[in-house]
Amino acid sequence: MAQGPGGSPPIMVDRLSFPAGFRWGVATAAYQNEGGNTNSQWYEWELAGHIRAGDGCGLACDWWAHAERDFDRAQAMGLNALRLSVEWSRIEPTEGIWDPAPIARYRQMLRGLLERGIEPMVTLHHFTNPIWFERRGAFLSREAARLFARFAAHIAEELGDLCDLWCTVNEPNVYSIFGYELGDYPPGRTHDLSATARAQAGMAHAHAAAYRALHAVQPAARVGWAQHYDVLDPARKHSRLDRIVAHIQDMVFNDFFTDAVRVGRCGLPVSLFVDDLSDVRGTCDFVGINVYSRHIVKFDLSNPAELFGTRSVAPDAPIGDPGINSPIGEIYPQGIARMALRAAGLGKPVYVTESGVADAADGLRPWVIARATASSHEAHMAGIDLRGYYHWTLVDNFEWTQGWTQCFGLIGMDHTTQRRIARRSAEFYSAIARANALTREMVEQYAPSALAAVFPGG
């Protein structure tokens, strides 16, 4: 509801429209969807027993053989964009030796998307490394940037006629913190702040090198990365200490990579552990933002490991299905506008490259879709050049250490039979994509609990 001119009665808003050409898509990842990725460090991680549910990826969603079946489903929903990744460990299973068969399969997949009117966004690194690269230290290696740039150039040469929208790395902050500080991802180190910072710096150098390699092969390429943002607010707004620790945690978790791209350096305390980042400055044509959750932060003198701030979830906050021994934050799709404004500070277009919720019963997901769409529209109306929204994800897939216990799909899937069942939220998202808009009628039908927030005053 908006105020009318001259103090006249408020104007009722019934439709949030998006600009022509806006991308309505879904986000996916190779390891989580393809199946049979046995040359990566994540497969070794599985074999070592680190999947909390005790299961394995197996065929995943069977995309290596039958991705086109799900592409048909995306097309039937009226989607015009799909984010997928290519698996480095398939393409270069041994250092310096390229396998042409995976390239041929990825060409089939990209052609399949284009034939269905779906624009691909290709991610080069989505958490998985070839085993040989992991053995060399992964992104802690001094050779990481060179090796990753070589891979990027090879991909551009082989796939560049089918794609010009590239995401170099996915969530470098999550990759480094979960792998070197929390121990949830390979290589499983814990409380190693130095390695956490250096791994993320290594990814920044690798991103910059890949950015230049992609443009060398394909001058018109659009190259960016996907940054995970956790919204971190002070638990008590009146508390100066809460505000300080929330700001510090926010800066350390959310800003490192963005600062490297924006100004070629990072702030304290991370800067104590990393080398010169000046080569990273300016290396993006767009920014991807992944926004799922919010935590509130309270000053805690007894918690130096987390910079004297304890994170928690606000009382009565919406949360998705609980993970196995994994803290779940408040589901916070309305944070998209805040984080898009922040990312827009780089002066580049912004994409929402991920947002969603684990919700097997599909009770919360429609609310998430409504709020995420409204927040994306808010960002657009604020003048941000927001180009698209990619929901995570199309079909239930293998959720890393959580295994098959987390159901993020618009389409449900039994991984033992590969049987798919479209959830009602898929109908809702399809309606939004086809209309290129969110209407009051849609929200009333699919997500009535979001109506007051999305269309107030009705």
Side-chain angles (χ1 to χ4, degrees):
M1 186 167 63
Q3 184 71 33
S8 59
I11 302 169
M12 189 70 68
V13 175
D14 292 312
R15 184 183 185 91
L16 305 179
S17 296
F18 287 78
F22 191 82
R23 281 86 167 169
W24 295 103
V26 285
T28 67
Y31 195 85
Q32 295 177 267
N33 285 72
E34 290 175 359
N37 277 315
T38 59
N39 291 319
S40 84
Q41 98 283 26
W42 262 95
Y43 183 68
E44 286 194 330
W45 190 248
E46 280 191 43
L47 295 181
H50 293 294
I51 306 306
R52 290 171 177 165
D55 49 27
C57 185
L59 284 178
C61 304
D62 200 22
W63 272 29
W64 200 239
H66 300 297
E68 289 80 0
R69 296 176 184 176
D70 284 335
F71 295 171
D72 286 341
R73 293 178 173 95
Q75 181 188 34
M77 290 171 61
L79 304 185
N80 60 7
L82 189 145
R83 179 179 169 224
L84 73 166
S85 66
V86 290
E87 180 61 44
W88 187 3
S89 68
R90 286 191 191 273
I91 296 164
E92 192 181 4
T94 302
E95 183 178 354
I97 299 176
W98 307 108
D99 187 343
I103 289 294
R105 177 59 182 139
Y106 283 124
R107 288 189 63 81
Q108 286 181 336
M109 292 167 70
L110 294 179
R111 276 197 300 265
L113 289 171
L114 294 171
E115 288 166 359
R116 291 163 175 80
I118 299 173
E119 179 190 49
M121 175 190 286
V122 172
T123 302
L124 300 181
H125 186 275
H126 198 124
F127 293 162
T128 54
N129 299 323
I131 291 172
W132 63 262
F133 182 70
E134 187 76 12
R135 296 279 191 273
R136 293 190 61 159
F139 291 99
L140 294 178
S141 167
R142 293 186 179 276
E143 294 294 303
R146 178 185 66 82
L147 294 167
F148 190 63
R150 186 183 66 183
F151 169 62
H154 183 73
I155 293 299
E157 290 163 356
E158 297 288 350
L159 305 180
D161 60 320
L162 301 173
C163 178
D164 67 356
L165 185 60
W166 308 97
C167 175
T168 57
V169 293
N170 178 74
E171 298 184 340
N173 49 352
V174 171
Y175 171 92
S176 58
I177 290 172
F178 277 55
Y180 295 91
E181 182 64 25
L182 301 179
D184 288 340
Y185 287 6
R189 295 196 203 176
T190 57
H191 308 303
D192 192 339
L193 181 58
S194 173
T196 301
R198 289 184 290 112
Q200 196 166 176
M203 295 190 85
H205 292 301
H207 155 81
Y211 175 88
R212 296 184 175 97
L214 289 164
H215 277 285
V217 176
Q218 189 184 59
R222 295 167 290 162
V223 185
W225 88 100
Q227 178 71 20
H228 184 104
Y229 283 100
D230 188 11
V231 180
L232 297 168
D233 287 330
R236 300 163 296 183
K237 293 182 179 179
H238 65 275
S239 168
R240 185 167 179 266
L241 290 173
D242 285 6
R243 293 197 305 270
I244 289 172
V245 295
H247 173 73
I248 292 172
Q249 287 195 4
D250 174 76
M251 179 181 65
V252 169
F253 185 79
N254 291 321
D255 284 348
F256 175 97
F257 210 90
T258 304
D259 283 349
V261 174
R262 183 172 58 87
V263 295
R265 60 179 183 273
C266 62
L268 289 168
V270 183
S271 59
L272 297 173
F273 304 101
V274 303
D275 58 5
D276 179 27
L277 294 169
S278 58
D279 64 302
V280 186
R281 183 176 181 179
T283 54
C284 77
D285 305 312
F286 72 86
V287 186
I289 61 172
N290 297 354
V291 183
Y292 290 90
S293 62
R294 179 177 81 137
H295 289 87
I296 56 174
V297 185
K298 186 176 182 180
F299 174 72
D300 183 355
L301 191 61
S302 68
N303 195 17
E306 297 184 41
L307 305 175
F308 302 102
T310 298
R311 293 185 301 279
S312 63
V313 176
D316 302 320
I319 59 172
D321 294 342
I324 300 175
N325 299 323
S326 178
I328 303 297
E330 173 186 358
I331 302 304
Y332 201 68
Q334 58 269 45
I336 286 173
R338 287 172 60 181
M339 299 303 107
L341 178 62
R342 190 163 171 167
L346 278 84
K348 303 293 183 179
V350 178
Y351 294 83
V352 181
T353 38
E354 289 182 29
S355 182
V357 62
D359 180 21
D362 204 36
L364 182 59
R365 189 176 291 104
W367 177 88
V368 170
I369 291 171
R371 295 302 303 269
T373 304
S375 195
S376 297
H377 186 267
E378 180 185 344
H380 165 63
M381 294 302 291
I384 295 168
D385 185 8
L386 186 67
R387 299 283 179 90
Y389 172 87
Y390 296 73
H391 188 81
W392 185 273
T393 184
L394 180 62
V395 179
D396 288 345
N397 57 30
F398 185 75
E399 186 52 35
W400 306 113
T401 57
Q402 300 295 316
W404 291 100
T405 64
Q406 299 278 273
C407 299
F408 279 87
L410 294 165
I411 299 169
M413 189 190 81
D414 182 339
H415 73 278
T416 63
T417 64
Q418 292 292 317
R419 182 169 177 257
R420 272 97 161 134
I421 300 176
R423 296 185 167 110
R424 198 159 184 263
S425 55
E427 297 178 21
F428 183 24
Y429 192 50
S430 174
I432 295 169
R434 292 181 181 281
N436 198 28
L438 178 67
T439 68
R440 180 183 295 272
E441 183 180 6
M442 290 177 195
V443 179
E444 288 174 340
Q445 180 180 356
Y446 292 102
S449 62
L451 188 62
V454 175
F455 293 108

